[in-house]
Amino acid sequence: MPITSDLTLDATKFHPSSVREETTKINTYLEDITTKGPRWDEVGIAKYREMRETGDTPLPVPVYLSAARDATVPSRDAGRDIPVRVIVPENGQPSKGIFLHFHGGGFVLATHKHSDNTLKRYADACQLAAISVGYRLAPEEPYPAAIHDCFDAAEYLVDRGELDYGAKLLFVGGESAGGCLTALTAFHLMRSRPAHKLAGVICPYGEFDLTLGLPQVTSFTRPLVVNVAALQRFNDAYVPGMSIEERRSASVSPLYEDMQALALSSPTKSLPPALFLCGTEDPLLDDTLLMSMKWMIAGGEAVVKIYPGAPHGFTVFPGIKVAEEAAAVAIQFVNEKLTANT
């Protein structure tokens, strides 16, 4: 009998021949606007945020839905609350759970109000109360402000979700920098609220290693949405003055968490089920591959979906097939976990 590997994957997902023509065309367009568009560190962060609202940056213009309402949750800091954005199921029926979302943007850009389409998709397709957290942004509020806000919002919803929204906190998720915050929050809840069980964690193209030392990111210079230089600028704003060694702390970069020990110390002896999504033209591809592998090694279920040729942030660009496919996978994942949780 021939030797078989303990680990297998579909190598065709990584082969250039698997990239669709539509994806190639989208990448050419995104590379062009990334190169020609303004940079937040050059025009100034306040100006760039204004330009984001008017569509004068490479990112899509924010969509604000009438179904969304603004609310707050308490902060650990006296005299301030944390803003959140809430969308509940359109059919008016009770929510089956709460989905807590942490937006992307390099810890610097975007707001909780820029995720209305994402929230509505989970609210209506999964019958969830979908909530996005307005965590504090760098450079005005560097680490640990953002993660403290995420922890506080998650703990509040564990403790008060059924009273405020008629449902339990079941899912946490976020893209890019939001993926980092998602993983850190999931690990934090396992320690601070060990009796609470998440049904799922969703991490599209997350940044899990803020040292930016993995092979894909260090060699990714193509100006396709983000590259290593752009990520470095974001991280320097978020963790200013931190050495590479300090960025390896598990409280900063979740890839360095001892996931197996954390899982074994929990009542379930496992990490919550997780969905990882990433394209092969993303500088953070290795982050997804290593994070998902460590998740599985720790005994947690990790569903990994790889999209040939897709760039960083591909799910936020409306109308492209690869984004629609990823959205459908995320919805299916959540609904499957909801069924398993009942």
Side-chain angles (χ1 to χ4, degrees):
M1 180 180 295
I3 297 172
T4 58
S5 174
D6 291 335
L7 305 175
T8 61
L9 55 77
D10 181 0
T12 64
K13 295 286 188 177
F14 301 87
H15 198 275
S17 64
S18 297
V19 181
R20 295 190 184 115
E21 183 179 356
E22 179 198 45
T23 304
T24 299
K25 289 180 178 179
I26 288 292
N27 285 351
T28 300
Y29 167 73
L30 291 175
E31 189 168 358
D32 181 63
I33 63 174
T34 301
T35 302
K36 295 178 180 177
R39 281 176 28 185
W40 67 268
D41 58 304
E42 292 179 341
V43 302
I45 188 59
K47 177 63 175 177
Y48 192 92
R49 288 172 183 157
E50 292 175 3
M51 296 171 71
R52 173 84 166 86
E53 296 295 326
T54 57
D56 295 318
T57 76
L59 298 170
V61 177
V63 175
Y64 300 103
L65 300 179
S66 60
R69 67 179 178 87
D70 295 319
T72 62
V73 297
S75 164
R76 69 183 66 193
D77 303 319
R80 65 176 292 267
D81 290 321
I82 302 164
V84 297
R85 186 86 157 170
V86 182
I87 296 183
V88 298
E90 186 176 21
N91 61 17
Q93 298 300 309
S95 299
K96 296 180 180 179
I98 295 172
F99 168 69
L100 187 62
H101 178 256
F102 308 115
H103 66 81
F107 309 102
V108 170
L109 303 175
T111 81
H112 59 302
K113 296 184 179 183
H114 291 173
S115 302
D116 283 5
N117 283 332
T118 297
L119 298 184
K120 187 162 178 59
R121 182 167 63 247
Y122 284 109
D124 292 346
C126 305
Q127 199 64 26
L128 298 174
I131 302 172
S132 189
V133 179
Y135 59 84
R136 287 168 289 176
L137 299 174
E140 299 93 332
E141 297 280 357
Y143 176 90
I147 195 59
H148 282 176
D149 288 348
C150 295
F151 288 174
D152 292 351
E155 289 183 338
Y156 179 82
L157 290 173
V158 169
D159 298 340
R160 299 271 307 180
E162 289 183 278
L163 290 172
D164 289 4
Y165 297 99
K168 294 180 179 180
L169 175 63
L170 294 183
F171 299 93
V172 292
E175 308 83 10
S176 191
C180 175
L181 298 173
T182 293
L184 290 173
T185 299
F187 295 158
H188 176 77
L189 288 179
M190 291 181 69
R191 293 187 172 97
S192 72
R193 301 293 188 275
H196 185 79
K197 182 181 178 181
L198 289 172
V201 175
I202 304 166
C203 293
Y205 41 86
E207 182 183 11
F208 304 118
D209 179 6
L210 271 68
T211 72
L212 300 178
L214 299 178
Q216 172 94 344
V217 69
T218 58
S219 62
F220 200 99
T221 58
R222 184 182 182 186
L224 182 59
V225 186
V226 293
N227 57 17
V228 62
L231 289 167
Q232 191 65 64
R233 290 191 291 271
F234 283 126
N235 288 0
D236 286 347
Y238 177 55
V239 287
M242 266 197 193
S243 67
I244 293 298
E245 189 62 34
E246 289 170 325
R247 294 185 190 195
R248 288 195 186 103
S249 167
S251 63
V252 176
S253 298
L255 182 63
Y256 295 91
E257 176 64 65
D258 187 342
M259 298 179 210
Q260 191 168 58
L262 179 61
L264 292 175
S265 68
S266 74
T268 62
K269 306 301 179 186
S270 178
L271 302 181
L275 173 65
F276 296 90
L277 311 169
C278 198
T280 59
E281 277 298 308
D282 190 323
L284 297 178
L285 175 61
D286 287 352
D287 289 61
T288 282
L289 297 178
L290 284 174
M291 190 70 175
S292 59
M293 187 60 61
K294 287 191 66 177
W295 205 280
M296 287 186 268
I297 290 170
E301 176 190 359
V303 178
V304 186
K305 302 298 289 184
I306 301 298
Y307 296 88
H312 189 72
F314 71 95
T315 62
V316 306
F317 296 99
I320 60 173
K321 189 171 183 180
V322 68
E324 295 171 353
E325 291 173 349
V329 166
I331 293 301
Q332 181 179 350
F333 175 83
V334 169
N335 281 327
E336 286 178 357
K337 299 312 169 191
L338 281 171
T339 299
N341 197 62
T342 56

